[in-house]
Amino acid sequence: MRTPTAGHGPKTARALGEILAGARLVDLSRTLEEGMPTYPTHAKYFQNRWLSMGDVARMNQLVLGEHTGTHVDSPCHFPIEGPHARASVDELALTALTGRCATVTLDPPPGPDEMVGPQPLCDWEEQNGPFEAGDIVLLDFQWARTRWGLHEAGFAHLQNWPGIARETAELLRERSVRAVGTDCVSLDSGDGGGGELPAHYVLLSAGVLIIENLANLDRLPALSFFLAFPLRIAHGTGSPLRAVAVVDGEVQ
């Protein structure tokens, strides 16, 4: 094992600081707030003011599910078989959601419950080069831009959203990508991909993580750098994320 040389840490920190100083950070996360859209069968989000007698500090109690807002699905979220079947969110590597980011914009936007085939991904590769092993692929269905809202205004986000077909999930698995994200509430379409949920079964069984309810994907170029960290929830099937993309340009 190589012994770290003196000054290695400060050198790395300085280099990262210089990169971030000249970069633009794009927040890809939804605000956690009451009335936000959540998957119809999942727990809702509540924020309760917490008053404690004799304590001058202000605080709130949060009640939420693991799959609230912008979040990651860990493999144990689904009943799959194989070496990744029991992988919970607290067991994910710190680098599980960091890496080169490829953003694919579906244009024209898919229709309700549409299962998008692999052609848009092949078109992206034709223009930008092939996906690389370890990439994080974000799919901008252009779904949430006009449908995300609070309370009744967010119901449209939870009805008949598009997803990916089995062939698309298999292509991403073959490319050995690290994670696949969407601006929809699920990577499988609103009808569950014909009831088969192919995106979740194909990807999670291969250890490919799924990120859902992303925001601001229209602000990303074709290639950027993605950073997100889940909460360290014991035996967690998923976790809310603060997801960020690093792109060329000044910090906003």
Side-chain angles (χ1 to χ4, degrees):
M1 180 181 295
R2 187 180 69 176
T3 302
T5 58
H8 178 72
K11 181 179 179 181
T12 301
R14 183 167 58 251
L16 286 172
E18 291 173 353
I19 291 172
L20 291 176
R24 179 165 57 92
L25 304 182
V26 180
D27 192 346
L28 305 179
S29 310
R30 292 290 177 185
T31 300
L32 295 177
E33 51 191 332
E34 291 192 350
M36 66 189 299
T38 58
Y39 195 87
T41 62
H42 289 188
K44 309 307 177 187
Y45 175 84
F46 298 96
Q47 180 175 327
N48 304 315
R49 185 182 178 194
W50 189 269
L51 298 176
S52 183
M53 188 170 62
D55 192 338
V56 299
R58 298 176 180 175
M59 64 193 81
N60 297 304
Q61 177 194 47
L62 303 183
V63 182
L64 70 163
E66 296 171 323
H67 301 265
T68 298
T70 306
H71 66 274
V72 62
D73 290 354
S74 200
C76 71
H77 179 42
F78 264 62
I80 56 176
E81 298 180 356
H84 305 286
R86 297 181 180 274
S88 57
V89 72
D90 57 309
E91 298 173 328
L92 300 179
L94 285 173
T95 56
L97 292 174
T98 65
R100 194 180 83 141
C101 175
T103 300
V104 181
T105 301
L106 284 302
D107 195 13
D113 290 322
E114 183 175 341
M115 298 172 65
V116 175
Q119 190 58 51
L121 277 68
C122 296
D123 292 343
W124 187 96
E125 288 187 306
E126 174 114 5
Q127 296 177 12
N128 301 282
F131 296 120
E132 298 179 0
D135 275 354
I136 295 167
V137 178
L138 306 184
L139 302 176
D140 182 7
F141 288 91
Q142 304 191 59
W143 180 258
R145 296 181 196 174
T146 59
R147 294 175 174 84
W148 185 271
L150 301 181
H151 306 292
E152 291 86 352
F155 286 176
H157 183 68
L158 304 174
Q159 297 173 336
N160 308 111
W161 64 88
I164 61 173
R166 176 174 296 275
E167 295 79 10
T168 309
E170 290 172 344
L171 182 148
L172 290 163
R173 180 187 62 190
E174 291 168 4
R175 298 292 194 271
S176 299
V177 303
R178 186 170 297 178
V180 182
T182 173
D183 60 323
C184 298
V185 70
S186 173
L187 190 57
D188 280 302
S189 59
D191 64 355
E196 296 183 2
L197 301 168
H200 283 77
Y201 280 107
V202 170
L203 295 175
L204 293 179
S205 63
V208 180
L209 304 178
I210 294 175
I211 308 168
E212 295 166 330
N213 283 330
L214 286 160
N216 298 321
L217 295 184
D218 57 318
R219 296 174 56 189
L220 299 185
L223 288 168
S224 59
F225 192 87
F226 185 89
L227 290 164
F229 298 97
L231 300 175
R232 198 170 179 180
I233 303 170
H235 316 298
T237 67
S239 169
L241 296 173
R242 188 64 181 266
V244 175
V246 182
V247 304
D248 291 337
E250 296 180 355
V251 177
Q252 292 185 341

